Amino acid sequence: MVPFGGFHMPVQYATQSVSASHHFTRSHASLFDVSHMVQHRFQGPGATAFLEKVTPASISQLGTHNGGLSTLLWPVTGGIVDDTIITRLGPQLFYVVTNAGCREKDLKYFEEQLADFKKSGGQDVEWEVLDGLLVTPDEVDLQKLYFGQSQFIKIKLLGDKVSSPLLVSRGGYTGEDGFEISIPGHETVAVTETLLQTATVEKLQLAGLGARDSLRLEAGMCLYGHDLDDSTTPVEAALSWVIGKDRRVAGGFHGEEVILRQLTPKSKGGIGVERRRIGLIVEGAPAREGAEIVDEKGEKIGNITSGCPSPTLKKNVAMGYIKDGFHKSGTNVEVIVRGKKRTAQVTKMPFVPSRYWKGAAPA
């Protein structure tokens, strides 16, 4: 158990090593405790406009029970306050999940931004930090619940009781097909025990932060405070895809003057970026956060933000930021690990192909 985002979290469980847990997740299924995450509800006639002010997402185009990754942005600079998942639950109702490690910063951010929004004439927005979600459940065929979608579902608990409506979202921070389940606090143990005992230990086991980190890194996913921070824009972070197509034309979100100009390279009249997030395969010892990336002359051109041995690939993988121009896949560089230069090559991410459920059976 280690401190994590204000909670004590398991790095691993006694039944499996981190590597074994990682492989089990890829071949079977694992249950991760993510109850440290912060859940919010925004609703009201101004909810869509407010969320489109603080994020670059196409909130107005989001269908009911659909959601996706976005970023909260600072005004002017376009720096990332936090990464977030936003799901529409109704015409004027949104479910927003943010990181536990940014809890106090995010709460202050929402308070300030809502005050500014209302001062500037924005319509009413109600904001609530949730302990649980209670909504009328839907009849759901999980085979037809696809990646990025969610529904409220009741499940039969051990002892023939029935759970409260649980918000089940199909996503996957591991790169595998997965579900995020929002459970009222008083039912957390009952739901968890039901899942574990119904599935059997051969099919489902608990997994900790160690496997969660190596899985998300293989999937090329960012961890806030490491691969993302307040000084990083979505374009630098290789997250330009979170900027909706309509938002690229209409703008209207924090930092748009910087972000939209970064999308266009200098050669075409924009400002481009000085650095970009990239993936690396590193030979020899694994490169960890803080390691320097250097060119053939030994000059620093970047730094590692996350890195570990990949249990799936049996290679050392890493993410980091590199000087623009060195970011293309196949570029050879070196990483300084414990004072020694290690050969590395820029590679596309995800390192391991994602297998989300989008309607066709996963490979």
Side-chain angles (χ1 to χ4, degrees):
M1 303 291 286
V2 296
F4 188 87
F7 291 77
H8 281 94
M9 298 287 291
V11 173
Q12 69 183 88
Y13 290 86
T15 53
Q16 290 184 316
S17 67
V18 171
S19 179
S21 182
H22 179 111
H23 289 303
F24 190 88
T25 306
R26 291 273 185 240
S27 59
H28 297 87
S30 294
L31 184 62
F32 296 86
D33 179 2
V34 293
S35 54
H36 57 291
M37 306 291 281
V38 187
Q39 303 173 91
H40 312 256
R41 177 162 45 205
F42 291 89
Q43 62 183 351
T48 297
F50 173 70
L51 291 173
E52 286 203 331
K53 189 72 177 175
V54 298
T55 78
S58 297
I59 304 296
S60 62
Q61 308 298 312
L62 204 59
T64 301
H65 281 297
N66 282 267
L69 179 73
S70 191
T71 54
L72 302 174
L73 300 170
W74 288 113
V76 185
T77 66
I80 298 173
V81 179
D82 197 3
D83 54 323
T84 181
I85 298 286
I86 301 175
T87 301
R88 182 191 288 276
L89 296 181
Q92 300 177 349
L93 175 61
F94 297 90
Y95 172 65
V96 177
V97 179
T98 56
N99 286 302
C102 298
R103 182 186 182 97
E104 296 308 317
K105 180 177 73 168
D106 290 347
L107 295 182
K108 183 180 179 184
Y109 174 84
F110 281 133
E111 285 176 5
E112 293 174 347
Q113 295 305 315
L114 276 169
D116 289 345
F117 180 75
K118 290 175 181 177
K119 241 185 237 182
S120 62
Q123 291 181 287
D124 288 344
V125 182
E126 294 178 25
W127 167 45
E128 180 184 3
V129 179
L130 302 171
D131 289 323
L133 288 166
L134 295 176
V135 179
T136 303
D138 308 292
E139 291 295 328
V140 176
D141 178 356
L142 291 181
Q143 290 295 322
K144 296 179 181 178
L145 185 67
Y146 303 130
F147 178 74
Q149 297 181 338
S150 65
Q151 290 290 348
F152 285 96
I153 301 172
K154 284 185 177 181
I155 68 169
K156 186 178 179 181
L157 301 173
L158 299 173
D160 291 330
K161 292 183 178 180
V162 177
S163 74
S164 301
L166 312 176
L167 180 60
V168 178
S169 305
R170 198 158 201 164
Y173 193 60
T174 63
E176 296 289 337
D177 175 37
F179 297 91
E180 286 76 46
I181 308 173
S182 178
I183 311 169
H186 68 280
E187 292 183 354
T188 303
V189 173
V191 171
T192 302
E193 288 181 341
T194 298
L195 293 172
L196 289 170
Q197 292 186 35
T198 303
T200 77
V201 72
E202 290 79 18
K203 293 183 179 180
L204 178 68
Q205 293 194 32
L206 289 163
L209 293 174
R212 183 169 164 231
D213 193 53
S214 56
L215 287 160
R216 70 92 190 169
L217 187 49
E218 287 187 348
M221 295 178 175
C222 299
L223 179 62
Y224 195 88
H226 300 265
D227 312 296
L228 302 174
D229 60 28
D230 297 291
S231 67
T232 308
T233 69
V235 184
E236 293 174 319
L239 295 175
S240 297
W241 55 271
V242 306
I243 307 167
K245 291 181 180 178
D246 59 317
R247 310 305 308 280
R248 297 179 185 218
V249 177
F253 54 87
H254 286 336
E256 65 169 300
E257 290 187 6
V258 173
I259 292 170
L260 294 182
R261 292 177 67 202
Q262 284 182 336
L263 289 171
T264 306
K266 291 180 181 179
S267 60
K268 296 185 178 179
I271 61 174
V273 292
E274 298 297 323
R275 60 175 187 150
R276 296 176 184 269
R277 182 172 66 92
I278 47 90
L280 289 169
I281 299 292
V282 184
E283 295 183 10
R288 305 290 186 178
E289 182 178 4
E292 291 186 357
I293 305 170
V294 299
D295 61 16
E296 58 184 11
K297 297 177 182 177
E299 294 181 3
K300 182 181 177 181
I301 54 172
N303 63 283
I304 301 297
T305 53
S306 290
C308 72
S310 163
T312 303
L313 300 177
K314 303 292 192 291
K315 297 178 180 179
N316 298 315
V317 299
M319 271 198 295
Y321 285 82
I322 202 166
K323 186 178 179 181
D324 186 50
F326 290 88
H327 65 284
K328 295 180 180 178
S329 182
T331 302
N332 292 315
V333 295
E334 292 180 311
V335 180
I336 300 176
V337 181
R338 300 193 199 97
K340 293 183 178 180
K341 291 182 180 178
R342 303 287 183 178
T343 301
Q345 188 175 79
V346 177
T347 187
K348 291 182 179 179
M349 295 185 287
F351 299 102
V352 174
S354 297
R355 298 195 291 185
Y356 301 124
W357 181 255
K358 297 183 178 181

